[in-house]
């Protein structure tokens, strides 16, 4: 296995670049299945989740060719021979469930494994299934698989309200509804930029969609979409993570430059909370410049759907708040049990009280380097951030979680002055015999 070894007391300086969005790349790849020909997507990050999804799509007979150097995915969807997504692949990544909508939309039939739980707790797909039923699919659950069929080969369309609003269910239903034999209305639809950019790709493929970016999306089905090339947007969560890193570890008053990101996709709540920490930020068209404050102000946040504070940035925010001039509260209202990073951060000195979905974080905490374990994607990057500000050396183990969603994190941080390296290790080795700098 691999881990990142992070030297503490680091100052971030210089420039960090933002990669293409993971959470948009995946539905773009799913949408290409509807194209019926060759589509090339650009801005596709070199990530484990992207490679996993390429395998999921490849399983159906569609040809996917990833070019990590160019950042492209070329998807030849001329033929779908096997409209199925097996457990062995779906269990690795829940977003594989997008195959349900893509295959229903393309073939009128899909057999997709139910994703299991997630590292931080249950993540249901009931809305996806009920939504497909509302659009006319006959859905059966058997032996861990969901089988859905559109009578006559096309969904008929229909109205469905998402309670709560869901990014994944909105995307999945839009995939299916694009080729329905009627109109579909998704109420309380997700407004996240990932959904909007994905919807713009469907439009580029000929889909008739109104209301993107609002809570009511209307899709007038057409018999088939056509292939199209498309450029992915930058990763807003990576941008937010690097902004937090700059406020946490930048030299106060000195610029850290972030290139290639789009701050308009972060949502107002994050931008306002970030400004309230005292960090100075210049939002230019080509670059975002962040200057760390002399003293980080405590800022309490509560996650919410877009444009609320993103749940995918709350673990990183927790680390920032350990260095604030007072106590703060972080509430996750989207995923109420997403706190697996807390016990690991406690090993580094975090003082926090967790009650239900709230964490009260003590500021001005001296963190110290330790061996810690990644539990999920955002938790693992929070451990790297903690390692950067801690005293001594931090070993962030099971770094494969991080590789799902951060492209070359250690390379980017190293280029901005952080001493961090990737090291192989034996998870079951006697720690007494593991050299400190293995
Ligand atoms: C996506 C993102 C993830 C992010 C999340 C919330 C991808 C690949 N992942 O996940 O990084 O943390 O949005 O912004 O884009 N829910 C149900 N039933 C369902 C589906 C969802 O009750 O069938 C609930 C969930 O438990 C959660 C809420 O809806 O409380 C929002 O989840 P959702 O937006 O669906 O998250 P994902 O699309 O899985």
């Amino acid at each position: 296995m691999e881990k990142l070894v992070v030297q503490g007391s680091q100052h971030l300086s210089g420039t960090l670049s933002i990669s293409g969005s993971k959470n948009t790349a995946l539905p773009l790849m799913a949408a290409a299945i509807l194209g019926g020909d060759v589509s090339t997507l650009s801005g596709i990050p070199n990530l484990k989740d992207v490679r996993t999804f390429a395998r999921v799509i490849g399983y159906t007979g569609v040809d996917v060719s990833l070019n990590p150097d160019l950042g492209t995915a070329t998807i030849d969807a001329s033929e779908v021979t096997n409209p199925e997504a097996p457990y062995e692949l779906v269990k690795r990544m829940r977003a594989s469930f997008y195959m349900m909508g893509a295959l229903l939309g393309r073939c009128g039939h899909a057999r997709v494994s139910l994703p299991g739980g997630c590292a931080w707790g249950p993540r249901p797909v009931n809305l996806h299934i009920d939504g497909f039923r509302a659009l006319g699919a006959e859905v059966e659950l058997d032996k861990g698989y969901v089988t859905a069929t559109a009578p006559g080969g096309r969904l008929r369309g229909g109205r469905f309200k998402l309670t709560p609003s869901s990014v994944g269910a909105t995307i999945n239903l839009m995939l299916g509804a694009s080729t329905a034999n009627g109109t579909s209305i998704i109420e309380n639809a997700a407004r996240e930029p990932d959904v909007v950019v994905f919807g713009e790709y469907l439009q580029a493929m000929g889909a008739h969609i109104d209301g993107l970016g609002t809570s009511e999306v209307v899709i007038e089905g057409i018999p088939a979409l056509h292939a199209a090339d498309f450029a992915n947007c930058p990763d807003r969560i990576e941008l937010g993570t690097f902004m937090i890193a700059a406020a946490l570890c930048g030299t106060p008053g000195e610029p850290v430059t972030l290139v290639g990101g789009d701050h308009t996709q972060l949502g107002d709540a994050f931008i306002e909370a970030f400004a309230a920490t005292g960090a100075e930020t210049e939002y230019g068209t080509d670059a975002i410049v962040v200057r760390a404050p002399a003293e980080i102000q405590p800022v309490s946040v509560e996650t919410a759907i877009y444009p609320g504070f993103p749940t995918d940035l709350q673990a990183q925010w927790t680390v920032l708040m350990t260095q604030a001039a007072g106590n703060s509260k972080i509430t996750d209202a989207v995923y109420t049990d997403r706190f697996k990073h807390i016990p690991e951060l406690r090993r580094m000195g975090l003082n926090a009280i967790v009650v239900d979905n709230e964490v009260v974080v003590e500021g001005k905490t001296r963190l110290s380097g330790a061996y810690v374990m990644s539990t999920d994607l955002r938790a693992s990057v929070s451990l790297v951030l903690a390692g950067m500000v801690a005293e001594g050396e931090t070993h962030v183990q099971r770094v494969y979680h991080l590789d799902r969603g951060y492209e070359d994190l250690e390379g980017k941080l190293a280029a901005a002055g952080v001493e961090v390296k990737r090291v192989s290790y034996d998870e079951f080795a006697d720690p007494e015999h593991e050299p400190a700098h293995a």
Side-chain angles (χ1 to χ4, degrees):
M1 240 177 269
E2 290 181 327
K3 63 183 175 183
L4 290 187
V5 182
V6 186
Q7 296 303 323
S9 312
Q10 303 267 308
H11 276 304
L12 197 64
S13 62
T15 301
L16 288 147
S17 65
I18 311 300
S19 297
S21 163
K22 167 180 89 75
N23 285 354
T24 313
L26 302 174
L28 292 181
M29 291 168 73
I33 297 172
L34 295 170
D37 205 340
V38 182
S39 299
T40 298
L41 304 169
S42 54
I44 302 299
N46 183 15
L47 296 173
K48 202 162 86 176
D49 272 8
V50 166
R51 292 190 290 275
T52 301
F53 202 44
R55 287 179 64 196
V56 174
I57 295 175
Y59 193 83
T60 67
V62 168
D63 188 64
V64 186
S65 159
L66 297 175
N67 186 327
D69 296 329
L70 294 177
T72 57
T74 302
I75 300 174
D76 181 349
S78 321
E79 268 193 300
V80 178
T81 48
N82 180 32
E84 188 167 322
Y87 176 63
E88 292 69 40
L89 292 172
V90 176
K91 73 178 181 192
R92 291 165 200 251
M93 192 187 68
R94 301 176 49 82
S96 306
F97 208 63
Y98 289 148
M99 294 306 281
M100 200 86 225
L103 292 172
L104 264 176
R106 173 68 193 269
C107 310
H109 181 75
R111 183 169 180 268
V112 177
S113 167
L114 264 179
C118 164
W120 74 77
R123 289 180 71 184
V125 287
N126 59 308
L127 293 172
H128 302 236
I129 291 172
D130 292 347
F132 285 125
R133 285 195 170 118
L135 266 49
E138 287 169 1
V139 184
E140 277 176 27
L141 272 68
D142 186 35
K143 298 190 183 74
Y145 277 75
V146 184
T147 305
T149 305
R154 282 173 76 190
L155 293 171
R156 62 158 195 270
R159 180 183 281 272
F160 188 69
K161 181 169 183 178
L162 296 171
T163 314
S165 180
S166 155
V167 172
T170 303
I171 287 171
N172 225 345
L173 296 179
M174 285 169 70
L175 285 165
S178 291
T179 58
N181 199 6
T183 301
S184 303
I185 299 171
I186 305 173
E187 294 177 49
N188 203 25
R191 293 181 288 151
E192 269 70 1
D194 318 276
V195 177
V196 174
V197 174
F198 155 76
E200 286 167 356
Y201 181 41
L202 288 179
Q203 287 172 330
M205 299 172 88
H208 296 179
I209 301 173
D210 274 330
L212 282 178
T214 75
S215 52
E216 185 170 287
V217 174
V218 180
I219 307 120
E220 194 194 312
I222 56 169
L225 305 191
H226 57 78
D229 297 343
F230 195 75
N232 187 19
C233 61
D235 197 306
R236 64 198 179 98
I237 303 302
E238 188 188 30
L239 172 62
T241 302
F242 287 167
M243 287 171 68
I244 291 171
L248 185 69
C249 300
T251 307
E254 295 293 317
V256 174
T257 305
L258 309 177
V259 293
D262 179 356
H263 70 276
T264 63
Q265 292 193 337
L266 275 170
D268 293 343
F270 178 84
I271 299 275
E272 283 161 23
F274 193 72
T277 65
E280 274 178 40
T281 314
E282 290 162 31
Y283 295 107
T285 42
D286 298 331
I288 296 160
V289 177
V290 179
R291 288 182 172 82
E295 185 173 66
I296 299 166
Q297 297 307 307
V299 183
S300 296
V301 296
E302 176 166 345
T303 70
I305 58 172
Y306 189 82
F309 191 98
T311 172
D312 285 349
L313 287 170
Q314 63 96 340
Q316 302 89 313
W317 195 262
T318 301
V319 175
L320 180 63
M321 287 300 106
T322 64
Q323 304 307 305
N327 297 353
S328 59
K329 189 164 80 176
I330 289 132
T331 308
D332 199 327
V334 176
Y335 285 113
T336 51
D337 42 14
R338 193 178 193 176
F339 296 109
K340 285 281 195 292
H341 47 285
I342 297 293
E344 297 301 313
L345 289 171
R346 279 198 178 117
R347 303 195 67 250
M348 300 178 69
L350 165 81
N351 284 319
I353 300 165
V354 184
V355 180
D356 298 329
N357 64 336
E358 293 180 353
V359 188
V360 176
V361 180
E362 189 179 288
K364 291 200 167 164
T365 307
R366 251 182 66 187
L367 297 179
S368 55
Y371 280 73
V372 286
M373 191 80 86
S374 300
T375 51
D376 63 73
L377 171 56
R378 307 304 168 186
S380 45
V381 83
S382 78
L383 298 175
V384 174
L385 294 180
M388 283 160 59
V389 84
E391 281 169 25
E393 197 173 76
T394 296
H395 295 238
V396 181
Q397 303 179 95
R398 297 197 183 174
V399 80
Y400 60 86
H401 288 289
L402 199 122
D403 294 337
R404 293 185 52 186
Y406 286 91
E407 187 178 56
D408 188 23
L409 181 73
E410 71 268 28
K412 291 185 184 188
L413 290 177
V418 174
E419 229 180 291
V420 50
K421 60 183 179 200
R422 182 177 291 253
V423 171
S424 296
Y425 74 104
D426 177 357
E427 174 116 347
F428 300 104
D430 180 348
E432 294 293 319
H433 296 115
E434 194 186 4
H437 300 278

